[in-house]
Amino acid sequence: MHLKNYFIILVFAMTSCVSVKKYNEQQKVCIPPEKLKADVDFAYSRLKETHPQLYWYISEKDLDYKFDSLKQTLTEPLTPLQFYFKLQPVIADIREGHLALRIPSKRISKKEIRNLENKKGMFSRFGYYVKGDRLYITENKDSIQNIQPGTEILSIDHVPVSDYIRKYRKLISSDGFNTTFHPYYLKDVFFGYYVAEKGYEDRATLETIYKGQKKTYELTRESKSEDDLKKEKENGKRTEEKKINDYIAFSDSYNRNFKFLDRDSTTAYIKVKSFSSDYSAKFYKETFGKIRKAGSSYLIIDIRNNYGGSLQEINNLYSYLSPEPYTLIKPSQVTSAISPLKTNYFRKTGFLPYVLKTLAYPAFFFGQTFSTYKKDGRFYYKNKADKLSKPNTDVFTGKVFVLINGSSFSASSILTAKMKNDKRAVLVGEETGGANDGTVAGFYSYQTLPNSKIDLPIGVLLVQPNIDFTGTQRGVVPDVKISETLQDILDKKDPEMDWVMKEIENEKTGKQQH
């Protein structure tokens, strides 16, 4: 037994040294058309087998046609990346925001990773804004070459940006027929797609225009200074404050923020960038304890640019917002009793984690098996959020405003749909990027297409808020529609927040007059 374990360790050590090189060599190999077609059939069969709401936004007939039409175009050998750019647009046509192929990008070695860790990002140091087929820089924290916010990037290495945007937009899945999600998500993933396609380069030529004047910049990947490395090390230290507010070292910011917006603490403000669940219970307990002690009358919850996350976190958050007992979501449907077991439990596991997972597998197996039940001919997965929950002792009973936009997605949409249905908040901003009537996510079954080796994670659970469904196939529509413009961002204005603060002031004044 010990000898066998030693052999496995040796094999893992040997393969880890060559796996990156082997993988990258595979990405250059062209796959014959018949094998590509087999991958298309494999992907579709796994979707039909695992996805609990595959034909929510597209009919079976139309989706069959799209997959068949794709196969007819596969007449020449393609690399995995070329194949990805053909298959992913069809996956995106299913209109499920959580459903997407993993782009088969070039992998980098440990040595290359260490080298990159000592260098600054080339594109990630800017903030961006997408409008139509145009890409603008909105932020330049490090004042790189004094590029001004508001500068439009016309081309990268002499390729028009509009070409990239049109190409990448086809890859993006959103929930239903929502239109607000795409520009937000595209600005966040644009250079992720670009680097996946081009690789990590050390320089790039940007052709730009600012206030009518064209200018060319040569960006380079700069080395980090000693001060930069020292600051990173300092930021990496986990203080109690950093834990509770969920500090993000990459952006040097907090995931959660709380403050009072006026001297008398009448108005409380909570900003959550992601429902990460890390230390969230303690954050909400402390925050709502302070709000209750201060006797605040108004609460603003800002979940703009929040792509979602933990269902448990939003269920806990809602316990501080609902004065009455509530049920957050409806029972989560799955395709079969064994769907929760198709999660690729041992996927991409190193040796030690593999051993630990092996020991824990019986508990996982029985836990997943007994978490499903059958009712009225359908299978469901047990979830704490679909049970009746009681309000928290520090529940806020005042007026709630929630700020939302096109990148309020997934769990953010579940929460806001519930709040709107229960008339518990005034929603201000844009239609959410996530659907009003739910989504398919929870956890995933990771499939790998046999020939191209492209990963396809498929959501297993149909998660829907416990509401009267709208059937609109769109996002959560705000009560007050306000859209932030490029000029608002450049002028550092916040029209949504301004509206809420003015509304609160008007209400205060009205109460004082009475």
Side-chain angles (χ1 to χ4, degrees), residues 338-472:
I338 61 171
S339 288
L341 293 171
K342 299 177 181 179
T343 55
N344 307 77
Y345 181 77
F346 293 103
R347 179 178 177 269
K348 294 183 178 179
T349 304
F351 173 71
L352 185 57
Y354 184 89
V355 173
L356 296 174
K357 279 191 172 186
T358 301
L359 297 173
Y361 184 74
F364 165 80
F365 177 83
F366 287 109
Q368 292 292 76
T369 301
F370 290 109
S371 289
T372 57
Y373 63 96
K374 192 174 184 180
K375 185 179 179 181
D376 300 327
R378 295 180 176 179
F379 293 95
Y380 297 90
Y381 185 82
K382 295 176 184 177
N383 196 308
K384 185 179 178 181
D386 67 23
K387 305 293 186 294
L388 188 67
S389 298
K390 294 179 180 179
N392 198 283
T393 52
D394 285 330
V395 63
F396 179 76
T397 57
K399 189 165 186 177
V400 181
F401 295 90
V402 180
L403 305 181
I404 54 176
N405 66 6
S407 59
S408 301
F409 185 73
S410 191
S412 294
S413 299
I414 298 288
L415 177 65
T416 49
K418 178 65 174 169
M419 296 186 79
K420 182 172 184 177
N421 181 84
D422 294 356
K423 296 179 172 56
R424 188 60 194 98
V426 177
L427 308 184
V428 181
E430 291 177 322
E431 175 187 345
T432 62
N436 185 92
D437 293 353
T439 191
V440 175
F443 47 85
Y444 294 84
S445 174
Y446 290 89
Q447 303 296 325
T448 300
L449 307 191
N451 299 301
S452 60
K453 305 303 179 186
I454 298 174
D455 287 337
L456 174 60
I458 304 172
V460 173
L461 302 184
L462 173 60
V463 183
Q464 295 182 284
N466 185 35
I467 62 172
D468 296 324
F469 296 138
T470 62
T472 58

Side-chain angles (χ1 to χ4, degrees), residues 289-324:
K290 292 174 184 175
I291 293 172
R292 184 182 180 90
K293 187 176 180 181
S296 304
S297 301
Y298 301 95
L299 171 62
I300 302 169
I301 301 175
D302 190 348
I303 51 173
R304 291 173 294 181
N305 308 313
N306 182 325
Y307 286 126
S310 167
L311 194 61
Q312 283 65 40
E313 178 172 340
I314 62 170
N315 191 40
N316 181 42
L317 172 56
Y318 203 62
S319 73
Y320 291 96
L321 302 172
S322 177
E324 304 295 330

Side-chain angles (χ1 to χ4, degrees), residues 53-67:
Q53 195 71 309
L54 186 60
Y55 306 111
W56 200 346
Y57 303 110
I58 186 171
S59 69
E60 183 175 1
K61 180 182 176 181
D62 287 345
L63 191 54
D64 285 348
Y65 177 79
K66 284 183 179 290
F67 275 108

